[in-house]
Amino acid sequence: MKIKLIALSILGLTLNACQVTPANLIQTGAQAYETVTLSDEDVKKLSDDSCANMDSQSKIARPTSPYTERLNKIAKTLGYNVNGTTINYKVYITEEVNAWAMANGCVRVYSGLMDKMTDNEIQGVLGHELGHVALGHAKKAIQVAYATQLTRGLISASTNSTIATLSQSQLGDLTEKIINSRFSQKQETQADNYSFSFLVEKGINPIGIANAFDKLDSGKSSILSTHPSSKKRAENIRQKIDEMNAKNKK
């Protein structure tokens, strides 16, 4: 029932932006319903294609780059598998301050963010992004982005499979929507808490999460457009640290 409501809400939003006939409405609604129930295989394919599309348009740090060597060092402390999903880390050379992860374990960190943060702070940010993968938020973001594109008539579902074969421009639009997905405050808090527990389990100081939020709150960054209330979220992490320390003293 919940999945059906998601599809209908997406459809309702798009009806105000374009004109559709009754026949198209029925067809589009049915296709949208299918997309929010995409199989894990479909989600992985869309993630793989979107990540490859983004990689092809970005300047990726070379294996011998100090950025890559630094990220590899950080990645070793976090691991390369989250709930059965293999994690693949790369650095984009850009002044933009950002990082994101897709449902297939594609994790991308921007050099602008690495320039701004310590290793511990990057661990906190990546723990948060991995949280979106582990908790299914990244999967839902792809489902919603694809369904939105479908109901707007920007892509057409294949008659032989659930997902369509996308052109480069269609894939580019979908990739942009996935990366710029706005997670709810609840999802962000869940990812923050996941990062906290994840880092503690790995023996990593979780203060990096709060410090990263402090830095993001002090300047303009792309990551803030999808990560609101940085001050409160930093306070949440510090409170959890205080509670953990108090518990350990007993």
Side-chain angles (χ1 to χ4, degrees):
M1 178 61 70
K2 185 175 182 181
I3 292 177
K4 184 176 181 180
L5 288 176
I6 292 173
L8 290 176
S9 64
I10 294 171
L11 181 58
L13 288 174
T14 58
L15 288 180
N16 295 324
C18 61
Q19 294 181 346
V20 292
T21 65
N24 287 339
L25 177 60
I26 294 173
Q27 181 182 20
T28 304
Q31 291 172 341
Y33 178 82
E34 290 178 354
T35 60
V36 293
T37 57
L38 289 174
S39 68
D40 289 343
E41 183 179 349
D42 289 336
V43 169
K44 185 178 186 305
K45 183 181 187 317
L46 287 172
S47 300
D48 288 344
D49 292 346
S50 296
C51 187
N53 177 265
M54 193 65 185
D55 283 353
S56 69
Q57 299 180 38
S58 304
K59 182 179 180 180
I60 300 175
R62 295 178 180 276
T64 56
S65 165
Y67 286 112
T68 300
E69 293 177 352
R70 184 184 175 198
L71 180 60
N72 288 342
K73 177 182 176 182
I74 294 171
K76 286 182 180 179
T77 67
L78 301 176
Y80 297 89
N81 188 289
V82 173
N83 292 354
T85 299
T86 301
I87 307 301
N88 171 259
Y89 303 89
K90 288 184 181 179
V91 181
Y92 287 169
I93 302 299
T94 171
E95 294 181 357
E96 189 175 349
V97 178
N98 203 4
W100 46 265
M102 291 189 183
N104 64 337
C106 169
V107 176
R108 299 297 180 259
V109 186
Y110 294 13
S111 60
L113 182 138
M114 297 185 72
D115 290 339
K116 190 180 184 69
M117 298 190 175
T118 66
D119 287 1
N120 185 225
E121 290 162 356
I122 295 173
Q123 288 171 323
V125 171
L126 293 185
H128 171 91
E129 298 301 333
L130 292 175
H132 283 311
V133 175
L135 298 172
H137 303 161
K139 176 181 178 180
K140 183 175 290 185
I142 285 184
Q143 292 173 320
V144 172
Y146 187 81
T148 301
Q149 295 289 80
L150 182 61
T151 56
R152 289 177 177 170
L154 300 179
I155 54 178
S156 299
S158 169
T159 57
N160 299 319
S161 62
T162 303
I163 59 175
T165 300
L166 306 181
S167 67
Q168 279 301 111
S169 62
Q170 291 169 334
L171 182 59
D173 289 340
L174 181 66
T175 302
E176 183 180 354
K177 283 181 171 53
I178 293 171
I179 293 175
N180 295 324
S181 296
R182 289 185 177 275
F183 295 109
S184 69
Q185 185 62 49
K186 180 180 179 181
Q187 289 174 320
E188 295 291 17
T189 300
Q190 289 174 336
D192 291 346
N193 292 340
Y194 178 93
S195 183
F196 175 85
S197 299
F198 181 75
L199 295 190
V200 170
E201 183 180 339
K202 296 286 185 180
I204 301 170
N205 191 344
I207 192 62
I209 310 170
N211 291 340
F213 283 136
D214 289 340
K215 287 187 177 180
L216 291 171
D217 193 45
S218 64
K220 295 181 178 180
S221 65
S222 298
I223 201 170
L224 274 183
S225 64
T226 56
H227 296 68
S229 306
S230 293
K231 183 176 181 180
K232 289 184 178 180
R233 291 165 65 189
E235 292 173 352
N236 170 53
I237 295 300
R238 289 192 169 95
Q239 181 178 346
K240 293 178 74 67
I241 291 174
D242 290 341
E243 292 173 352
M244 179 182 67
N245 291 336
K247 183 178 180 179
N248 290 337
K249 287 182 180 180
K250 293 182 179 180

mmCIF file of all heavy atoms in Angstrom, residues 83-127:
data_model
loop_
_atom_site.group_PDB
_atom_site.id
_atom_site.type_symbol
_atom_site.label_atom_id
_atom_site.label_comp_id
_atom_site.label_asym_id
_atom_site.label_seq_id
_atom_site.Cartn_x
_atom_site.Cartn_y
_atom_site.Cartn_z
ATOM 1 N N ASN A 83 26.838 -4.249 4.118
ATOM 2 C CA ASN A 83 25.639 -5.087 3.982
ATOM 3 C C ASN A 83 25.608 -5.871 2.671
ATOM 4 O O ASN A 83 24.571 -5.995 2.024
ATOM 5 C CB ASN A 83 24.368 -4.241 4.098
ATOM 6 C CG ASN A 83 24.155 -3.689 5.497
ATOM 7 O OD1 ASN A 83 24.890 -4.027 6.418
ATOM 8 N ND2 ASN A 83 23.161 -2.849 5.660
ATOM 9 N N GLY A 84 26.773 -6.370 2.268
ATOM 10 C CA GLY A 84 26.852 -7.171 1.055
ATOM 11 C C GLY A 84 27.078 -6.378 -0.215
ATOM 12 O O GLY A 84 27.257 -6.952 -1.287
ATOM 13 N N THR A 85 27.081 -5.049 -0.112
ATOM 14 C CA THR A 85 27.327 -4.187 -1.277
ATOM 15 C C THR A 85 28.796 -3.796 -1.330
ATOM 16 O O THR A 85 29.330 -3.243 -0.364
ATOM 17 C CB THR A 85 26.465 -2.907 -1.202
ATOM 18 O OG1 THR A 85 25.080 -3.257 -1.211
ATOM 19 C CG2 THR A 85 26.767 -1.990 -2.385
ATOM 20 N N THR A 86 29.447 -4.104 -2.442
ATOM 21 C CA THR A 86 30.859 -3.752 -2.609
ATOM 22 C C THR A 86 30.986 -2.246 -2.842
ATOM 23 O O THR A 86 30.297 -1.678 -3.688
ATOM 24 C CB THR A 86 31.471 -4.511 -3.800
ATOM 25 O OG1 THR A 86 31.350 -5.924 -3.572
ATOM 26 C CG2 THR A 86 32.941 -4.152 -3.967
ATOM 27 N N ILE A 87 31.876 -1.618 -2.094
ATOM 28 C CA ILE A 87 32.062 -0.166 -2.174
ATOM 29 C C ILE A 87 33.247 0.169 -3.070
ATOM 30 O O ILE A 87 34.328 -0.415 -2.935
ATOM 31 C CB ILE A 87 32.272 0.445 -0.781
ATOM 32 C CG1 ILE A 87 31.143 0.014 0.170
ATOM 33 C CG2 ILE A 87 32.356 1.961 -0.871
ATOM 34 C CD1 ILE A 87 29.757 0.421 -0.287
ATOM 35 N N ASN A 88 33.034 1.101 -3.976
ATOM 36 C CA ASN A 88 34.070 1.543 -4.905
ATOM 37 C C ASN A 88 34.291 3.038 -4.732
ATOM 38 O O ASN A 88 33.391 3.836 -4.960
ATOM 39 C CB ASN A 88 33.653 1.234 -6.345
ATOM 40 C CG ASN A 88 34.572 1.857 -7.369
ATOM 41 O OD1 ASN A 88 34.254 2.874 -7.956
ATOM 42 N ND2 ASN A 88 35.718 1.237 -7.580
ATOM 43 N N TYR A 89 35.501 3.416 -4.295
ATOM 44 C CA TYR A 89 35.804 4.810 -4.002
ATOM 45 C C TYR A 89 36.635 5.460 -5.112
ATOM 46 O O TYR A 89 37.569 4.853 -5.622
ATOM 47 C CB TYR A 89 36.621 4.936 -2.714
ATOM 48 C CG TYR A 89 36.001 4.343 -1.472
ATOM 49 C CD1 TYR A 89 36.220 3.009 -1.127
ATOM 50 C CD2 TYR A 89 35.238 5.121 -0.600
ATOM 51 C CE1 TYR A 89 35.687 2.463 0.039
ATOM 52 C CE2 TYR A 89 34.708 4.595 0.568
ATOM 53 C CZ TYR A 89 34.932 3.265 0.883
ATOM 54 O OH TYR A 89 34.400 2.730 2.028
ATOM 55 N N LYS A 90 36.291 6.699 -5.464
ATOM 56 C CA LYS A 90 37.106 7.491 -6.389
ATOM 57 C C LYS A 90 37.015 8.961 -6.016
ATOM 58 O O LYS A 90 36.070 9.397 -5.355
ATOM 59 C CB LYS A 90 36.626 7.303 -7.841
ATOM 60 C CG LYS A 90 36.950 5.940 -8.438
ATOM 61 C CD LYS A 90 36.528 5.855 -9.897
ATOM 62 C CE LYS A 90 36.832 4.476 -10.469
ATOM 63 N NZ LYS A 90 36.409 4.369 -11.889
ATOM 64 N N VAL A 91 38.036 9.717 -6.476
ATOM 65 C CA VAL A 91 38.072 11.160 -6.225
ATOM 66 C C VAL A 91 37.859 11.910 -7.529
ATOM 67 O O VAL A 91 38.477 11.597 -8.549
ATOM 68 C CB VAL A 91 39.426 11.593 -5.621
ATOM 69 C CG1 VAL A 91 39.429 13.105 -5.353
ATOM 70 C CG2 VAL A 91 39.723 10.836 -4.336
ATOM 71 N N TYR A 92 36.976 12.914 -7.492
ATOM 72 C CA TYR A 92 36.803 13.825 -8.615
ATOM 73 C C TYR A 92 37.617 15.082 -8.325
ATOM 74 O O TYR A 92 37.522 15.650 -7.238
ATOM 75 C CB TYR A 92 35.335 14.230 -8.781
ATOM 76 C CG TYR A 92 34.425 13.163 -9.338
ATOM 77 C CD1 TYR A 92 33.039 13.334 -9.308
ATOM 78 C CD2 TYR A 92 34.924 11.984 -9.893
ATOM 79 C CE1 TYR A 92 32.186 12.367 -9.825
ATOM 80 C CE2 TYR A 92 34.082 11.021 -10.405
ATOM 81 C CZ TYR A 92 32.710 11.209 -10.371
ATOM 82 O OH TYR A 92 31.870 10.246 -10.873
ATOM 83 N N ILE A 93 38.411 15.492 -9.317
ATOM 84 C CA ILE A 93 39.200 16.709 -9.157
ATOM 85 C C ILE A 93 38.329 17.914 -9.500
ATOM 86 O O ILE A 93 38.037 18.185 -10.669
ATOM 87 C CB ILE A 93 40.458 16.689 -10.056
ATOM 88 C CG1 ILE A 93 41.315 15.464 -9.732
ATOM 89 C CG2 ILE A 93 41.259 17.975 -9.860
ATOM 90 C CD1 ILE A 93 41.830 15.407 -8.311
ATOM 91 N N THR A 94 37.892 18.611 -8.486
ATOM 92 C CA THR A 94 37.028 19.780 -8.636
ATOM 93 C C THR A 94 37.043 20.574 -7.342
ATOM 94 O O THR A 94 37.220 20.010 -6.258
ATOM 95 C CB THR A 94 35.577 19.375 -8.970
ATOM 96 O OG1 THR A 94 34.728 20.522 -8.907
ATOM 97 C CG2 THR A 94 35.059 18.327 -8.001
ATOM 98 N N GLU A 95 36.859 21.893 -7.460
ATOM 99 C CA GLU A 95 36.841 22.732 -6.265
ATOM 100 C C GLU A 95 35.542 22.587 -5.488
ATOM 101 O O GLU A 95 35.456 23.026 -4.331
ATOM 102 C CB GLU A 95 37.040 24.202 -6.659
ATOM 103 C CG GLU A 95 38.411 24.499 -7.235
ATOM 104 C CD GLU A 95 38.578 25.971 -7.587
ATOM 105 O OE1 GLU A 95 37.597 26.728 -7.418
ATOM 106 O OE2 GLU A 95 39.680 26.353 -8.015
ATOM 107 N N GLU A 96 34.551 21.975 -6.101
ATOM 108 C CA GLU A 96 33.255 21.806 -5.429
ATOM 109 C C GLU A 96 33.416 20.939 -4.181
ATOM 110 O O GLU A 96 34.174 19.971 -4.178
ATOM 111 C CB GLU A 96 32.266 21.154 -6.397
ATOM 112 C CG GLU A 96 30.844 21.117 -5.886
ATOM 113 C CD GLU A 96 29.869 20.568 -6.920
ATOM 114 O OE1 GLU A 96 30.276 20.410 -8.086
ATOM 115 O OE2 GLU A 96 28.724 20.290 -6.543
ATOM 116 N N VAL A 97 32.709 21.311 -3.130
ATOM 117 C CA VAL A 97 32.752 20.564 -1.869
ATOM 118 C C VAL A 97 31.551 19.619 -1.835
ATOM 119 O O VAL A 97 30.421 20.043 -1.597
ATOM 120 C CB VAL A 97 32.714 21.519 -0.656
ATOM 121 C CG1 VAL A 97 32.715 20.732 0.655
ATOM 122 C CG2 VAL A 97 33.900 22.480 -0.704
ATOM 123 N N ASN A 98 31.803 18.338 -2.081
ATOM 124 C CA ASN A 98 30.698 17.401 -2.165
ATOM 125 C C ASN A 98 31.194 15.966 -2.037
ATOM 126 O O ASN A 98 32.390 15.676 -2.183
ATOM 127 C CB ASN A 98 29.948 17.571 -3.502
ATOM 128 C CG ASN A 98 28.526 17.060 -3.452
ATOM 129 O OD1 ASN A 98 28.044 16.642 -2.404
ATOM 130 N ND2 ASN A 98 27.846 17.078 -4.583
ATOM 131 N N ALA A 99 30.267 15.081 -1.758
ATOM 132 C CA ALA A 99 30.506 13.639 -1.738
ATOM 133 C C ALA A 99 29.147 12.978 -1.843
ATOM 134 O O ALA A 99 28.151 13.521 -1.369
ATOM 135 C CB ALA A 99 31.206 13.219 -0.448
ATOM 136 N N TRP A 100 29.085 11.821 -2.491
ATOM 137 C CA TRP A 100 27.819 11.112 -2.606
ATOM 138 C C TRP A 100 28.059 9.623 -2.820
ATOM 139 O O TRP A 100 29.179 9.199 -3.120
ATOM 140 C CB TRP A 100 26.963 11.668 -3.750
ATOM 141 C CG TRP A 100 27.659 11.898 -5.064
ATOM 142 C CD1 TRP A 100 28.193 13.071 -5.501
ATOM 143 C CD2 TRP A 100 27.920 10.934 -6.103
ATOM 144 N NE1 TRP A 100 28.762 12.905 -6.756
ATOM 145 C CE2 TRP A 100 28.599 11.601 -7.147
ATOM 146 C CE3 TRP A 100 27.620 9.582 -6.258
ATOM 147 C CZ2 TRP A 100 29.005 10.958 -8.313
ATOM 148 C CZ3 TRP A 100 28.018 8.927 -7.414
ATOM 149 C CH2 TRP A 100 28.705 9.625 -8.429
ATOM 150 N N ALA A 101 26.994 8.865 -2.631
ATOM 151 C CA ALA A 101 27.072 7.418 -2.829
ATOM 152 C C ALA A 101 25.797 6.952 -3.509
ATOM 153 O O ALA A 101 24.717 7.491 -3.264
ATOM 154 C CB ALA A 101 27.242 6.706 -1.490
ATOM 155 N N MET A 102 25.925 5.955 -4.370
ATOM 156 C CA MET A 102 24.762 5.366 -5.033
ATOM 157 C C MET A 102 24.497 3.976 -4.478
ATOM 158 O O MET A 102 25.331 3.395 -3.773
ATOM 159 C CB MET A 102 24.983 5.302 -6.546
ATOM 160 C CG MET A 102 24.993 6.665 -7.203
ATOM 161 S SD MET A 102 25.006 6.537 -9.012
ATOM 162 C CE MET A 102 25.119 8.272 -9.458
ATOM 163 N N ALA A 103 23.338 3.448 -4.813
ATOM 164 C CA ALA A 103 22.882 2.177 -4.246
ATOM 165 C C ALA A 103 23.803 1.005 -4.571
ATOM 166 O O ALA A 103 23.802 -0.006 -3.857
ATOM 167 C CB ALA A 103 21.469 1.879 -4.726
ATOM 168 N N ASN A 104 24.575 1.115 -5.648
ATOM 169 C CA ASN A 104 25.472 0.023 -6.047
ATOM 170 C C ASN A 104 26.819 0.087 -5.348
ATOM 171 O O ASN A 104 27.708 -0.718 -5.627
ATOM 172 C CB ASN A 104 25.692 0.044 -7.557
ATOM 173 C CG ASN A 104 26.410 1.306 -8.012
ATOM 174 O OD1 ASN A 104 26.375 2.323 -7.322
ATOM 175 N ND2 ASN A 104 27.046 1.246 -9.170
ATOM 176 N N GLY A 105 27.013 1.047 -4.444
ATOM 177 C CA GLY A 105 28.273 1.173 -3.724
ATOM 178 C C GLY A 105 29.261 2.108 -4.379
ATOM 179 O O GLY A 105 30.424 2.196 -3.970
ATOM 180 N N CYS A 106 28.816 2.824 -5.401
ATOM 181 C CA CYS A 106 29.653 3.833 -6.064
ATOM 182 C C CYS A 106 29.757 5.050 -5.139
ATOM 183 O O CYS A 106 28.770 5.731 -4.888
ATOM 184 C CB CYS A 106 29.009 4.222 -7.396
ATOM 185 S SG CYS A 106 29.727 5.665 -8.205
ATOM 186 N N VAL A 107 30.947 5.299 -4.613
ATOM 187 C CA VAL A 107 31.177 6.421 -3.693
ATOM 188 C C VAL A 107 32.167 7.382 -4.337
ATOM 189 O O VAL A 107 33.265 6.986 -4.731
ATOM 190 C CB VAL A 107 31.731 5.935 -2.332
ATOM 191 C CG1 VAL A 107 32.060 7.126 -1.434
ATOM 192 C CG2 VAL A 107 30.731 5.017 -1.649
ATOM 193 N N ARG A 108 31.778 8.636 -4.444
ATOM 194 C CA ARG A 108 32.631 9.637 -5.065
ATOM 195 C C ARG A 108 32.846 10.821 -4.102
ATOM 196 O O ARG A 108 31.896 11.356 -3.535
ATOM 197 C CB ARG A 108 32.016 10.142 -6.374
ATOM 198 C CG ARG A 108 31.843 9.026 -7.417
ATOM 199 C CD ARG A 108 33.170 8.430 -7.836
ATOM 200 N NE ARG A 108 33.056 7.366 -8.830
ATOM 201 C CZ ARG A 108 33.127 6.066 -8.543
ATOM 202 N NH1 ARG A 108 33.304 5.665 -7.281
ATOM 203 N NH2 ARG A 108 33.051 5.164 -9.502
ATOM 204 N N VAL A 109 34.114 11.178 -3.952
ATOM 205 C CA VAL A 109 34.506 12.280 -3.071
ATOM 206 C C VAL A 109 35.155 13.357 -3.916
ATOM 207 O O VAL A 109 36.004 13.053 -4.772
ATOM 208 C CB VAL A 109 35.500 11.800 -1.994
ATOM 209 C CG1 VAL A 109 35.793 12.915 -1.003
ATOM 210 C CG2 VAL A 109 34.975 10.571 -1.278
ATOM 211 N N TYR A 110 34.790 14.591 -3.709
ATOM 212 C CA TYR A 110 35.350 15.692 -4.485
ATOM 213 C C TYR A 110 36.600 16.233 -3.795
ATOM 214 O O TYR A 110 36.642 16.337 -2.563
ATOM 215 C CB TYR A 110 34.323 16.808 -4.650
ATOM 216 C CG TYR A 110 33.111 16.439 -5.488
ATOM 217 C CD1 TYR A 110 32.836 15.113 -5.831
ATOM 218 C CD2 TYR A 110 32.238 17.410 -5.935
ATOM 219 C CE1 TYR A 110 31.735 14.778 -6.607
ATOM 220 C CE2 TYR A 110 31.126 17.090 -6.712
ATOM 221 C CZ TYR A 110 30.882 15.763 -7.039
ATOM 222 O OH TYR A 110 29.782 15.443 -7.801
ATOM 223 N N SER A 111 37.604 16.569 -4.594
ATOM 224 C CA SER A 111 38.861 17.051 -4.023
ATOM 225 C C SER A 111 38.647 18.331 -3.214
ATOM 226 O O SER A 111 39.379 18.593 -2.253
ATOM 227 C CB SER A 111 39.895 17.294 -5.126
ATOM 228 O OG SER A 111 39.432 18.262 -6.059
ATOM 229 N N GLY A 112 37.640 19.124 -3.584
ATOM 230 C CA GLY A 112 37.339 20.330 -2.825
ATOM 231 C C GLY A 112 36.966 20.019 -1.389
ATOM 232 O O GLY A 112 37.315 20.761 -0.463
ATOM 233 N N LEU A 113 36.269 18.925 -1.189
ATOM 234 C CA LEU A 113 35.910 18.502 0.164
ATOM 235 C C LEU A 113 37.143 17.995 0.907
ATOM 236 O O LEU A 113 37.334 18.286 2.090
ATOM 237 C CB LEU A 113 34.839 17.422 0.113
ATOM 238 C CG LEU A 113 34.324 16.913 1.470
ATOM 239 C CD1 LEU A 113 32.805 16.731 1.450
ATOM 240 C CD2 LEU A 113 34.991 15.588 1.861
ATOM 241 N N MET A 114 37.991 17.245 0.186
ATOM 242 C CA MET A 114 39.200 16.718 0.818
ATOM 243 C C MET A 114 40.149 17.835 1.226
ATOM 244 O O MET A 114 40.836 17.742 2.261
ATOM 245 C CB MET A 114 39.896 15.741 -0.129
ATOM 246 C CG MET A 114 39.060 14.509 -0.448
ATOM 247 S SD MET A 114 39.934 13.265 -1.451
ATOM 248 C CE MET A 114 41.082 12.605 -0.250
ATOM 249 N N ASP A 115 40.197 18.910 0.432
ATOM 250 C CA ASP A 115 41.045 20.057 0.774
ATOM 251 C C ASP A 115 40.564 20.747 2.050
ATOM 252 O O ASP A 115 41.354 21.331 2.790
ATOM 253 C CB ASP A 115 41.046 21.074 -0.365
ATOM 254 C CG ASP A 115 41.795 20.585 -1.592
ATOM 255 O OD1 ASP A 115 42.636 19.671 -1.443
ATOM 256 O OD2 ASP A 115 41.528 21.096 -2.691
ATOM 257 N N LYS A 116 39.269 20.657 2.289
ATOM 258 C CA LYS A 116 38.654 21.374 3.396
ATOM 259 C C LYS A 116 38.688 20.592 4.711
ATOM 260 O O LYS A 116 38.601 21.181 5.791
ATOM 261 C CB LYS A 116 37.200 21.689 3.023
ATOM 262 C CG LYS A 116 36.454 22.640 3.933
ATOM 263 C CD LYS A 116 35.034 22.852 3.422
ATOM 264 C CE LYS A 116 34.266 23.870 4.246
ATOM 265 N NZ LYS A 116 34.781 25.244 4.091
ATOM 266 N N MET A 117 38.830 19.266 4.617
ATOM 267 C CA MET A 117 38.638 18.432 5.797
ATOM 268 C C MET A 117 39.830 17.555 6.148
ATOM 269 O O MET A 117 40.640 17.209 5.305
ATOM 270 C CB MET A 117 37.397 17.551 5.605
ATOM 271 C CG MET A 117 36.117 18.341 5.451
ATOM 272 S SD MET A 117 34.661 17.282 5.514
ATOM 273 C CE MET A 117 33.394 18.557 5.457
ATOM 274 N N THR A 118 39.866 17.171 7.433
ATOM 275 C CA THR A 118 40.866 16.230 7.918
ATOM 276 C C THR A 118 40.429 14.819 7.552
ATOM 277 O O THR A 118 39.281 14.588 7.149
ATOM 278 C CB THR A 118 41.008 16.318 9.445
ATOM 279 O OG1 THR A 118 39.776 15.878 10.051
ATOM 280 C CG2 THR A 118 41.296 17.752 9.896
ATOM 281 N N ASP A 119 41.314 13.859 7.725
ATOM 282 C CA ASP A 119 40.966 12.467 7.436
ATOM 283 C C ASP A 119 39.787 12.007 8.289
ATOM 284 O O ASP A 119 38.883 11.322 7.799
ATOM 285 C CB ASP A 119 42.168 11.557 7.695
ATOM 286 C CG ASP A 119 43.255 11.704 6.634
ATOM 287 O OD1 ASP A 119 43.081 12.524 5.708
ATOM 288 O OD2 ASP A 119 44.280 10.996 6.740
ATOM 289 N N ASN A 120 39.793 12.381 9.559
ATOM 290 C CA ASN A 120 38.714 11.972 10.464
ATOM 291 C C ASN A 120 37.374 12.567 10.046
ATOM 292 O O ASN A 120 36.326 11.910 10.139
ATOM 293 C CB ASN A 120 39.054 12.382 11.895
ATOM 294 C CG ASN A 120 38.035 11.878 12.906
ATOM 295 O OD1 ASN A 120 37.604 12.609 13.793
ATOM 296 N ND2 ASN A 120 37.642 10.617 12.801
ATOM 297 N N GLU A 121 37.395 13.799 9.565
ATOM 298 C CA GLU A 121 36.161 14.440 9.103
ATOM 299 C C GLU A 121 35.641 13.768 7.827
ATOM 300 O O GLU A 121 34.429 13.592 7.655
ATOM 301 C CB GLU A 121 36.403 15.928 8.898
ATOM 302 C CG GLU A 121 36.606 16.674 10.211
ATOM 303 C CD GLU A 121 37.268 18.031 10.051
ATOM 304 O OE1 GLU A 121 37.655 18.382 8.913
ATOM 305 O OE2 GLU A 121 37.417 18.748 11.068
ATOM 306 N N ILE A 122 36.563 13.375 6.949
ATOM 307 C CA ILE A 122 36.165 12.665 5.731
ATOM 308 C C ILE A 122 35.583 11.306 6.093
ATOM 309 O O ILE A 122 34.609 10.853 5.479
ATOM 310 C CB ILE A 122 37.360 12.511 4.775
ATOM 311 C CG1 ILE A 122 37.815 13.886 4.273
ATOM 312 C CG2 ILE A 122 36.993 11.621 3.580
ATOM 313 C CD1 ILE A 122 39.093 13.861 3.465
ATOM 314 N N GLN A 123 36.152 10.657 7.099
ATOM 315 C CA GLN A 123 35.598 9.395 7.570
ATOM 316 C C GLN A 123 34.146 9.588 8.021
ATOM 317 O O GLN A 123 33.280 8.749 7.746
ATOM 318 C CB GLN A 123 36.430 8.853 8.737
ATOM 319 C CG GLN A 123 37.789 8.318 8.332
ATOM 320 C CD GLN A 123 38.672 7.999 9.524
ATOM 321 O OE1 GLN A 123 38.645 8.713 10.542
ATOM 322 N NE2 GLN A 123 39.453 6.940 9.422
ATOM 323 N N GLY A 124 33.888 10.699 8.707
ATOM 324 C CA GLY A 124 32.532 10.981 9.164
ATOM 325 C C GLY A 124 31.573 11.205 8.019
ATOM 326 O O GLY A 124 30.448 10.690 8.024
ATOM 327 N N VAL A 125 32.014 11.972 7.019
ATOM 328 C CA VAL A 125 31.168 12.239 5.848
ATOM 329 C C VAL A 125 30.882 10.953 5.081
ATOM 330 O O VAL A 125 29.733 10.671 4.704
ATOM 331 C CB VAL A 125 31.840 13.270 4.914
ATOM 332 C CG1 VAL A 125 31.077 13.379 3.596
ATOM 333 C CG2 VAL A 125 31.903 14.641 5.588
ATOM 334 N N LEU A 126 31.907 10.150 4.869
ATOM 335 C CA LEU A 126 31.721 8.910 4.114
ATOM 336 C C LEU A 126 30.896 7.896 4.899
ATOM 337 O O LEU A 126 30.125 7.131 4.313
ATOM 338 C CB LEU A 126 33.079 8.316 3.739
ATOM 339 C CG LEU A 126 33.900 9.147 2.738
ATOM 340 C CD1 LEU A 126 35.174 8.402 2.352
ATOM 341 C CD2 LEU A 126 33.080 9.466 1.500
ATOM 342 N N GLY A 127 31.042 7.901 6.212
ATOM 343 C CA GLY A 127 30.204 7.028 7.029
ATOM 344 C C GLY A 127 28.737 7.372 6.850
ATOM 345 O O GLY A 127 27.872 6.494 6.778
#
